[in-house]
Amino acid sequence: MMKKPGKTRVRSVILNGRKSSVSLEDEFWRALKDISRVRGISLQELVSRLDRSRTNINLSSVLRVFVLNVYLGKDGASESN
């Protein structure tokens, strides 16, 4: 049986010196925190790097796809290292 998805929450992040918000499920947020810890960078730095790499895609989607790629072992996920 599949676990019920966590609640989507709006979280504040600082991007290019400005406060922004991102809506993300708890599971994805925890995964981003784990990835940043393993990579030895702050969560803020990881999100900022991913923000700088996106083009015309909303940040929430970029973060979800990044987490998915990391867990699937896709090469593109290493670009933020």
Side-chain angles (χ1 to χ4, degrees):
M1 181 185 249
M2 192 168 120
K3 183 180 174 187
K4 184 177 174 183
K7 185 175 182 177
T8 300
R9 298 179 196 271
V10 177
R11 301 169 199 290
S12 294
V13 293
I14 305 295
L15 302 171
N16 298 318
R18 295 187 344 193
K19 191 173 181 179
S20 188
S21 61
V22 60
S23 296
L24 210 59
E25 294 78 11
D26 292 337
E27 292 85 354
F28 282 104
W29 194 252
R30 279 193 302 271
L32 284 168
K33 288 167 82 174
D34 289 344
I35 293 165
S36 68
R37 181 180 39 78
V38 167
R39 293 181 177 205
I41 60 174
S42 70
L43 177 60
Q44 179 64 46
E45 178 60 24
L46 178 61
V47 172
S48 291
R49 289 179 186 185
L50 292 168
D51 178 60
R52 288 191 299 269
S53 73
R54 69 187 174 115
T55 55
N56 298 326
I57 303 169
N58 81 41
L59 183 57
S60 297
S61 295
V62 168
L63 297 176
R64 286 185 190 98
V65 170
F66 172 78
V67 167
L68 178 62
N69 283 335
V70 168
Y71 282 89
L72 291 175
K74 302 284 182 163
D75 292 337
S78 64
E79 69 183 279
S80 68
N81 246 351

